[in-house]
Amino acid sequence: MKYKGYKDQILTVDLSRGEIGRRSLDEAMVEKYIGGRGLAARILYDEIKAGAEPYSPDNRLLFITGPAAGTLVPTSARFAVGAKSPLTGTLSVGYAGGHLAPVLKYAGYDGILFKGKSPKPVYLVIDDGRVEIREAGHLWGKDTFETEEALKKELKGDFEIASIGQAGEKGVSYASIASEQHLVGRGGEGAVMGWMNLKAVAVRGTGGVRMGVDGRAGIEACFELHDTIRKNPVKAAFRDVGTTGMLIPVNDIKGQPTRNFQQTYFPAASEVSSDRMKPWFIRFESCSGCPVACGSVTRFRVEGAEIVTERIEHQSVGAFATNCGVSDLARVFQAHDLCDRFGMDTISTGVSIAFAMECFENGILTRGDCDGLELRFGNGEVLKPMVEKIARKEGIGGLLARGVRAAARELGRGSERYAMHVKGLEMPGYDPRAFFGMALNLATTSRGADHNKAFTIAAEFLGVLGDFDRFAYEGKPKLVKDMQDSTVIIDSIIMCMFTVDLGISVDLYARAVNLATGMDIGARDVYTIGERVNNLERMFNIREGVGGTEDGLPDRFAREPGSDPDGHTVDVSKMLPEYYALRGWDEKGVPTPERLRELGIEP
Amino acid sequence: MLSFNREKCVYCKLCENVCSFRFTQQVRPSVAAIRIGREGKWGLPSARICDLCKDLEEGPKCVAACPEDALGVSDGGVIAWDDEKCTRCEVCVDVCPNKAVAYDTDSDRIILCDLCGGKPLCIEWCPEQVISA
């Protein structure tokens, strides 16, 4: 491998046979796919057979880093985990920060590819070149924080851990994987890990990672990227209020999903705003190699108990507070903290509870169906028991643990119209009726309603990337395509999504790749790589029968106006033809053979 | 000599990263002349740095222990390492009470804080102004 930044080695672990192997990357592959999300798309497209059951030996679970992990490139301590999602049936790749990714590189590996199912609970320990599958019976049943603590004690060293909690063990369809308080969320990668009987991965690495630059000039070139971030005024906002700083401004313009997306304004928003969290602040925490340190450790009391956890993000406020109509901040924090411990996605958990609340208020679910709980909007007391029931798949929790799409299919009786998802993935906390670009992004993203695949809010609201009319259809297909394509590089290097708002332009992402690897790519290459990966992900989904017919939003957004006095609704079908045309896809949303050839994809 | 304010450290490890890169031309925190550790979840970080064994009457342990006279305290108040005299026996690594001395196999050198010749990179790179000289 002529490129730096890589260790040129992926561990392969067959859990059914207990076999550990190694495979190398190849230069042509990293030129085309860089790392992280790009490599995940390529490797999983090749590895997972068409029609593979998510819970079967035909699925795979890939932990993958990017070339920048463990280097001087800022915010690069991120790893990705990909699999065929049990929630959506599509390819799903999630990301988390913390300290694991660099250490995996220092141990000598770019990633780990798991397949099969261990006959009993195990964890994988990587100690530089020594790799071993060990029994994890004593860890089974522990939450993610407990698992990490137990393993750090047991292994007696500076090991970094990724683990699942009870939700992953039980097969909650949106179970996540935790490393410290950083979670690979959304698509249920934690549930695939649980099915494999793989409780955790523990890594210690003492080696190094070379970069595409060296010497004093190399250090200075990398520092320029750090300096760009350090000097950006938005850095202070990420520290002071985090993403929860979005709540009040988004709510004020009637863009905050409320009561399961029935409304777009939450009257009690100030009760759950970042100002209310400030008194709970203890100290800042950072991921490895990041000059931002947006992690804010907080301490609060709920039901007489003191809880120390990380400050929640806007998405958890959207899911548990505004969408459930709950204005008790401590209970919202508690629900978020429990999700982290059980290892469960907060958006999907909160939106699933909100779905059940709307069903309850419309008589589709009764108190008897809900284990005696009064599942009404605004009733904060139900959050904790509901999160616990979902994590353990008990009673009503068993139904909701499959996600709103599956729950509505089983429940019937018109509940489908309350199931707020795209391609099976629960919707995040930016209302599509207020941001038409976000509407199109959510409708078309390969793993369903994922706002981070094109964070158009930066262009449609924050004014960080241009100044687009939120309610205009015109120009949005191009905006969304370009942002979806440029986001791929962030997810492949892998850098933090927040850098979009911190002055890192497409040119600078290209520079980050070059600094880490010694490649020589520019902004045009960034878009080409992004388009290639989006097309390959699309091809994965089409192979699974998830094509253009699933590019849409729940009916609610086209029919009901939310809280906006002007009554805006959004009809994604008005943007899809142009979006498909820009992508070189046919009218059904299928990539044409010509476009695939141009992009160098041989599916 | 560096000093470290653990109350303000956010455990980003940028100091280790840039330090190891300067010495070894790769990012290899395990051999950095500054190492940040942390006790348990949410625990306060701590730093391993050379303090010239200031609390020991006999002076720096590594200097005293070096069988080849390859280490000494320089005029600049740092431990100077003599590549020529050094046989890489790693006694200095073993005796350092702060575990602030390392041997990098790849670049074949002993690593000790030399304050980057006067303008420490760890100070420049630390986003939190945790380190001072």
Side-chain angles (χ1 to χ4, degrees):
Chain A
M1 170 73 71
K2 70 178 175 189
Y3 296 116
K4 308 292 192 278
Y6 301 96
K7 299 308 293 186
D8 198 15
Q9 190 149 252
I10 290 185
L11 273 176
T12 57
V13 181
D14 184 333
L15 289 162
S16 299
R17 297 163 179 269
E19 286 173 4
I20 294 162
R22 287 159 173 84
R23 72 151 80 153
S24 54
L25 296 168
D26 77 73
E27 275 166 21
M29 191 166 169
V30 300
E31 282 169 359
K32 284 168 92 168
Y33 298 100
I34 305 294
R37 178 172 162 194
L39 276 183
R42 184 71 259 176
I43 292 171
L44 293 175
Y45 188 97
D46 294 341
E47 281 281 328
I48 299 174
K49 281 195 285 192
E53 285 297 322
Y55 299 132
S56 81
D58 292 334
N59 204 354
R60 297 287 183 273
L61 185 75
L62 176 69
F63 282 64
I64 188 87
T65 62
T71 72
L72 298 179
V73 171
T75 79
S76 56
R78 295 175 69 72
F79 66 100
V81 184
K84 182 177 174 184
S85 163
L87 182 64
T88 63
T90 67
L91 178 66
S92 179
V93 184
Y95 310 84
H99 297 84
L100 180 93
V103 173
L104 186 61
K105 297 280 283 287
Y106 302 145
Y109 311 99
D110 299 296
I112 316 163
L113 180 64
F114 292 99
K115 71 172 179 180
K117 181 184 176 74
S118 165
K120 53 191 170 189
V122 292
Y123 71 94
L124 185 76
V125 57
I126 299 172
D127 192 0
D128 284 321
R130 290 184 297 281
V131 184
E132 215 181 299
I133 298 167
R134 290 192 191 163
E135 267 200 56
H138 60 300
L139 300 170
W140 210 249
K142 286 189 191 299
D143 72 31
T144 61
F145 290 11
E146 291 165 348
T147 302
E148 196 162 316
E149 197 185 336
L151 272 177
K152 285 193 171 178
K153 218 171 263 172
E154 184 172 322
L155 296 168
K156 295 184 188 71
D158 298 330
F159 281 83
E160 298 297 337
I161 317 284
S163 71
I164 55 166
Q166 298 93 328
E169 294 174 8
K170 291 270 181 192
V172 173
S173 297
Y174 39 85
S176 40
I177 299 166
S179 186
E180 303 172 68
Q181 60 285 1
H182 305 272
L183 285 98
V184 173
R186 310 252 54 200
E189 289 82 355
V192 174
M193 189 159 156
W195 179 85
M196 291 178 159
N197 264 330
L198 177 63
K199 180 67 177 172
V201 176
V203 191
R204 176 163 68 178
T206 60
V209 178
R210 294 194 189 281
M211 295 185 63
V213 287
D214 50 26
R216 191 54 83 147
I219 292 175
E220 276 165 22
C222 293
F223 190 73
E224 273 177 40
L225 290 179
H226 283 262
D227 215 32
T228 303
I229 293 170
R230 282 164 66 152
K231 285 185 175 144
N232 192 292
V234 178
K235 178 187 159 173
F238 275 118
R239 295 275 289 239
D240 293 346
V241 294
T243 54
T244 60
M246 295 295 283
L247 176 65
I248 298 296
V250 168
N251 195 49
D252 283 349
I253 59 155
K254 316 290 184 290
Q256 185 60 34
T258 298
R259 295 184 169 230
N260 199 34
F261 295 83
Q262 293 179 85
Q263 288 132 31
T264 53
Y265 178 77
F266 185 52
S270 64
E271 301 290 309
V272 289
S273 70
S274 53
D275 282 349
R276 290 297 179 105
M277 302 171 194
K278 275 186 184 163
W280 298 350
F281 171 79
I282 303 174
R283 55 191 297 269
F284 289 115
E285 286 244 333
S286 182
C287 296
S288 269
C290 175
V292 179
C294 67
S296 170
V297 186
T298 54
R299 184 192 292 125
F300 67 100
R301 294 188 74 80
V302 63
E303 293 174 335
E306 184 180 276
I307 296 178
V308 176
T309 188
E310 190 157 297
R311 175 177 62 200
I312 63 178
E313 299 293 345
H314 179 65
Q315 290 305 328
S316 301
V317 175
F320 290 119
T322 67
N323 261 326
C324 291
V326 173
S327 56
D328 182 338
L329 186 61
R331 291 191 187 277
V332 170
F333 258 72
Q334 182 185 38
H336 138 90
D337 180 60
L338 284 170
C339 281
D340 282 3
R341 289 169 190 269
F342 286 129
M344 211 155 73
D345 185 68
T346 59
I347 300 176
S348 287
T349 305
V351 171
S352 294
I353 295 171
F355 160 80
M357 285 175 162
E358 196 168 359
C359 289
F360 185 92
E361 295 207 340
N362 286 285
I364 296 170
L365 286 172
T366 64
R367 222 178 147 126
D369 296 326
C370 301
D371 312 311
L373 292 172
E374 188 72 12
L375 219 55
R376 292 191 182 281
F377 288 113
N379 184 4
E381 285 177 20
V382 302
L383 289 184
K384 178 171 183 264
M386 285 302 289
V387 170
E388 288 168 344
K389 281 175 188 299
I390 292 171
R392 296 178 183 134
K393 289 172 89 169
E394 287 170 2
I396 181 77
L399 179 73
L400 299 177
R402 296 162 58 198
V404 297
R405 178 172 70 181
R409 274 180 190 157
E410 183 166 322
L411 218 48
R413 287 175 287 153
S415 64
E416 294 86 351
R417 64 179 181 274
Y418 310 140
M420 308 309 286
H421 71 90
V422 177
K423 300 184 179 84
L425 185 66
E426 285 71 20
M427 298 195 64
Y430 291 108
D431 200 283
R433 285 163 295 201
F435 312 99
F436 287 13
M438 182 52 77
L440 179 61
N441 169 60
L442 294 175
T444 55
T445 291
S446 51
R447 72 163 166 166
D450 181 345
H451 59 293
N452 277 328
K453 292 296 157 277
F455 190 64
T456 65
I457 307 299
E460 294 185 287
F461 181 52
L462 299 175
V464 179
L465 298 174
D467 187 15
F468 285 78
D469 175 359
R470 295 189 283 122
F471 300 117
Y473 288 112
E474 299 77 44
K476 296 299 166 65
K478 174 89 166 75
L479 172 73
V480 170
K481 174 185 179 289
D482 285 350
M483 285 194 81
Q484 285 178 338
D485 289 347
S486 62
T487 297
V488 166
I489 208 77
I490 309 173
D491 291 341
S492 299
I493 295 175
I494 307 170
M495 286 172 72
C496 177
M497 273 305 300
F498 291 172
T499 53
V500 171
D501 305 316
L502 287 163
I504 303 297
S505 60
V506 170
D507 286 316
L508 293 182
Y509 289 121
R511 191 181 300 170
V513 171
N514 298 339
L515 289 169
T517 63
M519 289 183 197
D520 182 21
I521 69 165
R524 275 191 63 170
D525 303 300
V526 165
Y527 286 107
T528 305
I529 292 162
E531 193 168 356
R532 182 179 296 130
V533 173
N534 273 311
N535 274 272
L536 187 55
E537 290 177 350
R538 187 78 174 187
M539 292 309 293
F540 184 105
N541 289 354
I542 286 169
R543 200 169 64 177
E544 300 302 324
V546 183
T549 50
E550 299 218 20
D551 292 336
L553 299 178
D555 271 356
R556 171 160 279 166
F557 300 108
R559 291 170 195 272
E560 302 169 25
S563 315
D564 174 17
D566 296 329
H568 285 287
T569 55
V570 63
D571 179 359
V572 170
S573 69
K574 289 186 174 153
M575 297 180 275
L576 277 178
E578 187 187 340
Y579 174 84
Y580 288 164
L582 284 168
R583 283 225 171 280
W585 294 354
D586 70 15
E587 70 281 2
K588 288 183 175 150
V590 178
T592 56
E594 299 79 57
R595 181 53 64 100
L596 293 178
R597 252 197 318 276
E598 280 162 28
L599 292 168
I601 302 174
E602 291 146 30
Chain B
M1 193 190 311
L2 297 172
S3 60
F4 175 80
N5 178 357
R6 65 185 311 207
E7 302 289 331
K8 281 173 70 186
C9 177
V10 295
Y11 201 61
C12 73
K13 295 171 163 266
L14 279 167
C15 51
E16 297 180 348
N17 293 353
V18 72
C19 174
S20 61
F21 188 79
R22 171 177 167 262
F23 280 114
T24 71
Q25 301 299 315
Q26 57 180 334
V27 180
R28 190 182 184 195
S30 65
V31 298
I34 179 166
R35 296 290 319 279
I36 309 297
R38 185 170 60 172
E39 278 299 314
K41 201 173 186 66
W42 320 121
L44 275 184
S46 57
R48 295 172 181 173
I49 39 182
C50 173
D51 63 359
L52 297 169
C53 296
K54 60 179 165 39
D55 298 330
L56 299 180
E57 234 168 75
E58 65 273 26
K61 278 200 160 186
C62 57
V63 174
C66 179
E68 306 295 333
D69 217 12
L71 297 173
V73 180
S74 77
D75 295 343
V78 296
I79 308 279
W81 169 67
D82 189 327
D83 187 357
E84 300 282 310
K85 288 185 184 167
C86 176
T87 60
R88 279 68 170 167
C89 71
E90 297 185 55
V91 165
C92 51
V93 176
D94 298 335
V95 298
C96 178
N98 289 357
K99 297 199 189 320
V101 186
Y103 170 62
D104 178 43
T105 42
D106 294 354
S107 59
D108 185 32
R109 59 167 301 159
I110 296 293
I111 293 169
L112 276 149
C113 179
D114 61 0
L115 297 175
C116 297
K119 204 176 163 223
L121 281 165
C122 56
I123 295 178
E124 188 188 354
W125 275 63
C126 175
E128 308 291 327
Q129 292 86 48
V130 165
I131 310 163
S132 52

